[in-house]
Amino acid sequence: MKKFLYLITLVILMVGCSNEDADTKTSSGEVADKNMQESPKEVQQIEKKTPEEYLEEFKKTTEYQEIKSEDIAFTEVVDFEGDEIPEIVLGVNSDVIQSEVLIFKLQNEVWEKASSFTYDTSLAIRLEQNAKFTYDDSVKEAFAFETVEAYANTMSSSVVILNYNNETAAFEELAHFKLQSTDTLNLSLGNNKFSVTGESDTLNYNFKNGTLVDDEGKHIGLIIDEELAELVGTTINDYFITYDDSYYTAQEKITEPLEQETYYEGGLCSFYSSFFICNSDHQGLIYAYYITPTNVVTVEDLSSFFNQSIDIIETENMMDDSGTFYSSEMVTDIGTYHLELNGNSPQAELKMIAFIPN
């Protein structure tokens, strides 16, 4: 009997411990649940503001207050990065011969200057009309504006498009078009486009996701085939140059650094990292566009691109001891590609392309 009572007492003690453990777990679980329920309250919500509110905040900054109101050409809210936290673009006519376009970015609740672009001339310059361009299916935007310059006998107008480059994480000039004279050409900025009107016609440049297309949707400024440009590694298609542009107009559009300007085969030429253009006649027109590849491209690669065999011509140089020239010519719908090679085998490499449009 004593043994039986002992066993009963032991069972009761074990049940009591189990209940106590259960209570402890329930209590801990309730605390955990309570903590989980309370934690979302600690997350701070980012307050969304309207463009007008961002602009009002910016106008209270020292940078803005220090600029004379009469010197401000425009103050615009532009979402370059498409992150719904816009930048401020401030256009300032600093003095008669210089204008600046400044981009301010909100960093840790402080407006900081992120980039600046300066435009100057010897006589007079001023910033005028502007417009925002939008990307498809996005809040990402670009910004276009006009500069007007005074010369001795005429006025010249230019349009500049500023854009944010996601790859380089930098604000840059997407395009810079200079019109020769406001007497014969008129510039207007509109909804996702700008138009240049001459004496008899109007040319529309439509903004389309970081590039410019004509009214039929064709890319403006393709000097050579897009796939060939990618194959050889040239930037000649990046500056919206057209076949009708003069040497100096094309030179104005190209925004990458000029490596040198010197004579080549009798013409004055501007040399850049992967191409050069030449002023080859008395009217200032460009006869050919020269591509200097930055990628290794073989005869085999070219044959695959043109979808035909490359017939290589060997020519002995009779003027000096430079040896044999290896070349080929490919005629296409848009023009003729003159290829200069370093040999006559399938693995010979491309040295230069001279492209003559039709």
Side-chain angles (χ1 to χ4, degrees), residues 73-321:
F74 49 74
T75 310
E76 298 292 340
V77 181
V78 182
D79 194 349
F80 282 104
E81 298 180 49
D83 58 1
E84 299 186 346
I85 303 177
E87 289 74 30
I88 302 293
V89 183
L90 180 62
V92 182
N93 291 317
S94 308
D95 53 45
V96 175
I97 62 172
Q98 186 180 85
S99 294
E100 287 184 290
V101 176
L102 312 173
I103 298 177
F104 291 86
K105 185 177 175 64
L106 192 60
Q107 301 276 19
N108 299 320
E109 302 300 321
V110 177
W111 288 101
E112 298 179 354
K113 186 166 69 174
S115 191
S116 64
F117 301 85
T118 302
Y119 305 91
D120 49 29
T121 186
S122 57
L123 288 179
I125 188 171
R126 66 179 184 272
L127 300 170
E128 295 224 342
Q129 58 182 319
N130 65 85
K132 286 189 283 189
F133 293 163
T134 58
Y135 282 71
D136 291 350
D137 303 323
S138 173
V139 293
K140 181 177 169 64
E141 297 173 322
F143 183 72
F145 61 91
E146 178 190 22
T147 66
V148 177
E149 301 176 45
Y151 292 92
N153 299 314
T154 187
M155 301 287 287
S156 174
S157 180
S158 298
V159 60
V160 180
I161 302 176
L162 299 182
N163 190 54
Y164 181 77
N165 188 322
N166 291 326
E167 294 183 1
T168 61
F171 300 95
E172 63 184 18
E173 284 190 352
L174 176 68
H176 189 156
F177 288 81
K178 186 171 184 177
L179 310 185
Q180 294 304 303
S181 173
T182 55
D183 296 333
T184 56
L185 296 172
N186 180 54
L187 170 70
S188 61
L189 292 172
N191 183 25
N192 260 29
K193 72 176 183 180
F194 68 92
S195 303
V196 179
T197 303
E199 295 178 353
S200 59
D201 59 356
T202 297
L203 179 61
N204 294 321
Y205 294 81
N206 302 286
F207 181 83
K208 185 72 173 177
N209 295 327
T211 189
L212 295 173
V213 299
D214 61 20
D215 288 336
E216 296 178 354
K218 296 180 180 178
H219 186 155
I220 294 174
L222 290 183
I223 297 301
I224 66 171
D225 184 275
E226 282 187 280
E227 292 184 14
L228 181 60
E230 185 176 352
L231 177 67
V232 302
T234 180
T235 56
I236 195 168
N237 285 346
D238 292 354
Y239 304 109
F240 311 106
I241 303 166
T242 67
Y243 298 140
D244 295 329
D245 286 340
S246 70
Y247 171 77
Y248 293 105
T249 299
Q251 196 179 54
E252 289 282 351
K253 288 183 177 181
I254 299 167
T255 55
E256 69 178 74
L258 174 67
E259 294 188 349
Q260 65 172 331
E261 187 173 28
T262 187
Y263 285 90
Y264 175 79
E265 295 186 349
L268 181 63
C269 302
S270 292
F271 288 80
Y272 300 92
S273 61
S274 62
F275 66 93
F276 62 98
I277 56 174
C278 297
N279 184 9
S280 55
D281 64 27
H282 66 282
Q283 294 180 336
L285 298 178
I286 300 173
Y287 170 70
Y289 303 86
Y290 300 88
I291 313 301
T292 49
T294 59
N295 297 333
V296 175
V297 179
T298 65
V299 170
E300 197 171 53
D301 295 328
L302 293 168
S303 179
S304 176
F305 170 77
F306 288 108
N307 196 29
Q308 65 181 85
S309 62
I310 306 296
D311 297 325
I312 301 174
I313 301 171
E314 298 184 22
T315 307
E316 295 294 331
N317 188 350
M318 307 301 293
M319 302 298 294
D320 53 40
D321 297 328

Side-chain angles (χ1 to χ4, degrees), residues 23-73:
D23 290 342
T24 303
K25 289 178 182 178
T26 301
S27 176
S28 300
E30 287 176 353
V31 171
D33 291 343
K34 188 175 181 181
N35 287 339
M36 290 178 67
Q37 291 172 2
E38 289 180 353
S39 59
K41 297 180 182 179
E42 298 173 2
V43 177
Q44 295 182 354
Q45 297 294 325
I46 298 175
E47 182 185 357
K48 290 186 177 180
K49 301 174 185 177
T50 65
E52 292 76 18
E53 288 173 324
Y54 281 113
L55 186 57
E56 286 304 313
E57 284 186 3
F58 174 74
K59 288 184 176 181
K60 296 175 184 177
T61 63
T62 304
E63 289 83 356
Y64 183 83
Q65 296 291 330
E66 288 179 346
I67 300 172
K68 295 179 182 179
S69 58
E70 61 267 25
D71 294 338
I72 296 176

